[in-house]
Amino acid sequence: MKWINSTENPLIKTILKIKKNPVDRTLIEGLNLIKTAIEALSIQKDAPFYIEQILVTEEFIRKEKSFFYLINRKNYPIVGISEKIAEKISDTITPQGIFGVLSFQIRNLKDININNPEIVVILDKIQDPGNLGTIIRASEALGANFIILTLGTCNPLLTKVLRASAGSIFYIPIVRADYIEIEKFIVRNNLNLIIAEPKSEKFIFDVDFSKPLVVVFGNESKGVSGDLRKIPHISCRIPHIGQSESLNVAISAAIFLYEILRSKIKKSI
């Protein structure tokens, strides 16, 4: 196994560039995220990512011998790195000592081959990586078929997004699309368009979510764009009796998606 001790090594410089601006490749960190990626690859035939390389420190190998032997047996390319390098490329104060370089493709809407989708999530210009990752996590957990990102949404391959998703990003398809493509997709699949709107007069429990639908969550400060509002839709909101202005978009998305799933389960009984 090759060992790298210098932060000036070309591979380390490349990793730092990938971390700063991930395009088709990204960096994941930590044992749980690496394990989840490996597990996702083992059960998906058409996963949009693969592991190019795994980097480990000597201390990690000492602490996690069984897992180190596992990735060795699976023939992943493994590179040893010094603790200094681990600290350099890490986002955490105390790195666990394991990192993965992934090739990761964010698909186009036309590439998705899912017949009769029931729940599709649109994220419209979401800016905060933590919010994006949390909504991806909630979407995967609560039954969304896939997620559409409009142009202007933050990069889903940022390390903060991947960490906030807790690995859910490895299990749910994510695509990019413009508003014209989205409208055509909604019409072609005969989907109801639901817009999360904090000022709507209608509550989420007043809406029939039993039919196949697309639900939109908008930008943290500006909400859903006018281009999506032009499409025939139903807007609704979560009841809010507190004094704060509104719920965080990630919390709102989780509540919406729970209510959508609950309604569909109830309808099917």
Side-chain angles (χ1 to χ4, degrees), residues 176-190:
R176 288 193 179 96
D178 61 32
Y179 297 122
I180 295 173
E181 291 173 309
I182 289 171
E183 183 172 9
K184 288 180 179 178
F185 169 78
I186 290 170
V187 172
R188 185 171 64 250
N189 289 276
N190 194 28

Side-chain angles (χ1 to χ4, degrees), residues 143-159:
N145 297 105
F146 64 94
I147 298 170
I148 300 173
L149 307 180
T150 65
L151 306 181
T153 298
C154 79
N155 190 338
L157 299 183
L158 291 170
T159 54

Side-chain angles (χ1 to χ4, degrees), residues 184-224:
K184 288 180 179 178
F185 169 78
I186 290 170
V187 172
R188 185 171 64 250
N189 289 276
N190 194 28
L191 300 172
N192 286 343
L193 177 60
I194 309 295
I195 290 180
E197 173 52 70
K199 295 181 181 179
S200 174
E201 294 181 359
K202 191 173 289 188
F203 292 132
I204 54 174
F205 42 68
D206 295 326
V207 178
D208 180 7
F209 291 135
S210 63
K211 297 178 181 178
L213 58 82
V214 173
V215 59
V216 186
F217 304 105
N219 176 270
E220 289 89 342
S221 59
K222 297 178 181 178
V224 176

Side-chain angles (χ1 to χ4, degrees), residues 7 35 57 62 82 90 100 129 149 151 164 168 171 175 179 214 217 219 227 233 242:
T7 56
K35 279 184 175 179
T57 63
R62 187 183 66 79
S82 66
S90 175
L149 307 180
L151 306 181
S168 295
Y171 288 101
V175 304
Y179 297 122
V214 173
F217 304 105
N219 176 270
D227 294 275
H233 66 274

Side-chain angles (χ1 to χ4, degrees), residues 31 34-39 42 51 54 56 60-61 64-78 98:
L31 182 57
I34 300 283
K35 279 184 175 179
T36 304
I38 291 172
E39 288 167 3
S42 70
I51 299 172
I54 294 175
V56 293
F60 176 84
I61 296 171
E64 300 289 346
K65 287 180 182 178
S66 60
F67 184 73
F68 177 69
Y69 293 147
L70 170 69
I71 57 178
N72 252 320
R73 287 198 303 271
K74 288 182 176 289
N75 294 319
Y76 286 113
I78 303 172
I98 183 167

